[in-house]
Amino acid sequence: AAGVIQSPRHLIKEKRETATLKCYPIPRHDTVYWYQQGPGQDPQFLISFYEKMQSDKGSIPDRFSAQQFSDYHSELNMSSLELGDSALYFCASSLTSGPTGELFFGEGSRLTVL
Amino acid sequence: AQKITQTQPGMFVQEKEAVTLDCTYDTSDPSYGLFWYKQPSSGEMIFLIYQGSYDQQNATEGRYSLNFQKARKSANLVISASQLGDSAMYFCAMPGSARQLTFGSGTQLTVLP
């Protein structure tokens, strides 16, 4: 079965650079979530989209923005990168009208800021 | 707001034995759910099991089962017949109104040969 696809899997950037992470949800899933997991931390919710509209916002820095496109894929844009942005970034997807238990994560994109 | 507490930073279990990973929660929602995820050292977040608060029976998925005690607000994960490949970080998580997850701090499980 198709899973959530994230790219790139690994990314290395310098401070003050920008980075873009992509997420392709499971087909038919209409909701995408972004999480940030720092080293040794639990994942923290950043932002979510339902039917291409922002549905909820968590602890996302102002330097970050995200959107969901017409094909339901989503991109997380990070600007003015800081060392503390080094983390594993997860995307997850679900079908809002489906069972609550069907929420699946991608393999994550590991961002390293030097 | 939800709160998830995992009080065991690390656990050890002998191969082939069962182990219970604790999770307690706090929520004011009358209807809620609880997820357990496994995160191996490679980093991916693997869905294990889900329990809805109104499910009549405790959830089971293969060697994973949930010991769901609503009155005690606990949803402990039981792994039976532990395998070396079970060594990983385990997270308990609860969805909010928009299904965004709040995670516990995790339990690092090490299975000993």
Side-chain angles (χ1 to χ4, degrees):
Chain A
V4 178
I5 306 296
Q6 290 188 245
S7 68
R9 294 292 311 280
H10 300 273
L11 190 60
I12 299 174
K13 291 286 185 179
E14 301 275 342
K15 276 186 352 182
R16 292 180 288 278
E17 285 190 323
T18 61
T20 297
L21 306 181
K22 295 185 179 182
C23 169
Y24 296 85
I26 291 172
R28 298 190 308 110
H29 280 194
D30 53 17
T31 305
V32 166
Y33 311 81
W34 285 98
Y35 292 84
Q36 178 192 56
Q37 186 180 24
Q41 304 293 314
D42 55 284
Q44 296 292 315
F45 169 70
L46 293 179
I47 194 167
S48 62
F49 292 88
Y50 166 68
E51 286 290 344
K52 293 152 278 184
M53 300 286 289
Q54 181 183 307
S55 62
D56 201 9
K57 201 169 181 179
S59 50
I60 184 169
D62 292 340
R63 299 176 290 107
F64 292 11
S65 64
Q67 56 183 324
Q68 187 178 28
F69 294 85
S70 58
D71 64 351
Y72 291 94
H73 95 273
S74 178
E75 295 184 3
L76 178 66
N77 299 292
M78 299 173 283
S79 62
S80 302
L81 287 169
E82 302 173 357
L83 296 178
D85 296 329
S86 293
L88 191 54
Y89 290 83
F90 286 105
C91 173
S93 75
S94 71
L95 179 63
T96 299
S97 60
T100 307
E102 288 192 357
L103 175 68
F104 298 99
F105 283 79
E107 294 185 323
S109 293
R110 190 173 295 278
L111 171 66
T112 302
V113 181
L114 303 176
Chain B
Q2 292 91 355
K3 184 174 180 181
I4 300 288
T5 303
Q6 294 180 254
T7 57
Q8 306 154 314
M11 287 281 286
F12 292 88
V13 65
Q14 210 67 43
E15 194 178 7
K16 298 178 187 174
E17 292 187 347
V19 63
T20 298
L21 306 184
D22 294 343
C23 171
T24 58
Y25 58 88
D26 192 19
T27 181
S28 56
D29 294 334
S31 177
Y32 53 89
L34 288 138
F35 288 88
W36 275 93
Y37 288 92
K38 172 185 177 182
Q39 187 176 41
S41 57
S42 51
E44 69 266 33
M45 195 70 73
I46 302 168
F47 167 77
L48 294 179
I49 199 167
Y50 172 80
Q51 177 83 47
S53 59
Y54 285 105
D55 291 342
Q56 293 297 316
Q57 294 183 321
N58 286 350
T60 61
E61 291 283 351
R63 293 185 301 109
Y64 305 107
S65 61
L66 252 169
N67 182 4
F68 184 50
Q69 298 186 47
K70 205 168 174 178
R72 299 181 64 181
K73 295 191 174 182
S74 73
N76 299 337
L77 177 70
V78 180
I79 306 175
S80 62
S82 297
Q83 302 172 355
L84 295 178
D86 294 334
S87 293
M89 181 70 88
Y90 289 80
F91 288 100
C92 180
M94 175 176 276
S97 57
R99 298 197 188 181
Q100 74 282 18
L101 293 176
T102 298
F103 287 83
S105 54
T107 296
Q108 180 69 48
L109 177 68
T110 302
V111 180
L112 303 172

